[in-house]
Amino acid sequence: MSVLITGGAGYIGAHIVRLLVDRGDRVVVVDDLSSGDASRLSGATLVRIDLAGDGARERLGSAIRDHGVTSVVHLAARKNAAESVTDPAGYYRDNVGGLAAVIGACADTGVRRLVFSSSAAVYGTPAVPRVDEAAPTQPINPYGESKLVGEWLVRDAATAHGIDAISLRYFNVAGAGWPDLGDPFPLNLITIAIDRVRRGLAPSVFGADFDTPDGTGVRDYVHVMDLAEAHLAALDALASRQQADSPAGAQVFNVGTGEGASVLEVLDRLRAASGIRFEVQVGPRRPGDPAAVVADPAMIAQQLGWRATRTLDDMVSSAWQAERPEPTASLA
Ligand code: WQD
């Protein structure tokens, strides 16, 4: 199989690239390297394209033809929910515009298999703590909106161009499959907490008055290796469907463990992994933060045969042990 991965030089993409290269697939990475790291990509071909830029559709089509690409995984996107509130146009341009270029290139070249990186952010603040794919999609920021619009565009592409697609709604991704593939940006709980602990600072707890067992926010943390394996399961399912001449569709799956963990539980795992008995500082809630968002992952297990196998301890300890750039001024 020859797979093109946009955003493949990023934290999640690099894990998917390495798994595909290790199993013998030909891999082409399309990335603008605005946040990706080319040194992660041994064994893959890198093509630098800004997917929201002029001529991106045509350049992408050339890369697909030049490398005999049969499947595309589209990860390239901006994903900072807080940043999206201050730059909605930039998020729609990059996240929806970039996807439009990918779909156009697939239509132009006859590529009929697409895996799209979506997000649990499409659920916004769910009315129930555990969500399946039929739960209402009510995103509360432009990042989540851009992912939901992306799912609609993928669905329309199935109808218009016969592109058979799977959208994966990522829950809270964490950990590292290899020490050199840690998440370099402290933008989420575990990476922010590690960055602060390494600088001798107390991690912050955003709210301890939620209606949860210990009062802190509950999320569904999924190991980046499990998430990467979900992409391979999706690619293989699409390949089988094309071989069976199945009609193009647009399936959507939650990618999570189905288990929730609170902020305090995660930080306690970090004390164990680091051996540092750090204190925490409890502050106010973040505006819009839901108390709990946990996946019901029954559909992906049933349809793709994928289940998460790695634990919260695996995530926190691998994140702690991963090679990281020098601690930065935390962005939190
Ligand atoms: C997790 C919990 C915070 C930092 C993200 C993004 C996006 C999406 C879903 C892929 C919350 C608390 C955090 C800190 C804290 N995934 N927290 N102190 O908000 O669930 O959403 O995951 O698209 O990546 O939307 O992730 O890591 O910011 O927060 O107490 O310093 O940790 O309040 O309860 P979130 P997060």
Side-chain angles (χ1 to χ4, degrees), residues 103 107 153-163 248:
I103 286 173
L153 181 48
V154 163
R155 184 190 58 201
D156 295 338
T159 306
H161 308 299
I163 298 171

Side-chain angles (χ1 to χ4, degrees), residues 79 119 143 170-172 187-189 192 204-206 217 219 221 263 286 289 332:
K79 69 154 205 165
S119 167
Y143 164 70
Y170 302 175
F171 279 69
N172 291 61
L187 289 174
N188 293 106
L189 172 62
I192 291 170
S204 304
V205 176
F206 297 153
R219 296 291 185 276
Y221 296 91
V263 174
R286 275 185 318 194
D289 246 357

Side-chain angles (χ1 to χ4, degrees), residues 123 128 130-137 169 171 254 294-299:
Y123 295 115
V128 292
R130 187 180 169 85
V131 287
D132 64 16
E133 290 81 355
T137 47
R169 290 176 178 170
F171 279 69
N254 285 343
V294 176
D296 176 341
M299 276 277 280

Side-chain angles (χ1 to χ4, degrees), residues 12 79-82 117-121 141 143-144 147 169-173 187-193 196 203-207 210 216-221 261-264 266-267 281 284-286 289-293 330 332:
I12 296 170
K79 69 154 205 165
N80 183 328
S117 166
S118 187
S119 167
N141 52 57
Y143 164 70
K147 288 298 183 179
R169 290 176 178 170
Y170 302 175
F171 279 69
N172 291 61
V173 192
L187 289 174
N188 293 106
L189 172 62
I190 292 172
T191 47
I192 291 170
R196 289 184 68 83
S204 304
V205 176
F206 297 153
F210 288 103
T216 63
V218 171
R219 296 291 185 276
D220 185 330
Y221 296 91
S262 75
V263 174
L264 291 180
V266 170
L267 295 178
Q281 54 184 12
R285 298 182 180 189
R286 275 185 318 194
D289 246 357
V293 186
S330 170

Side-chain angles (χ1 to χ4, degrees), residues 72-107:
V72 172
V73 180
H74 179 54
L75 305 175
R78 295 164 69 178
K79 69 154 205 165
N80 183 328
E83 180 189 58
S84 76
V85 174
T86 59
D87 183 17
Y91 268 70
Y92 274 86
R93 170 187 178 275
D94 291 346
N95 292 3
V96 179
L99 172 62
V102 168
I103 286 173
C106 288

Side-chain angles (χ1 to χ4, degrees), residues 142-155:
Y143 164 70
E145 292 167 358
S146 74
K147 288 298 183 179
L148 183 58
V149 170
E151 291 183 14
W152 297 343
L153 181 48
V154 163
R155 184 190 58 201

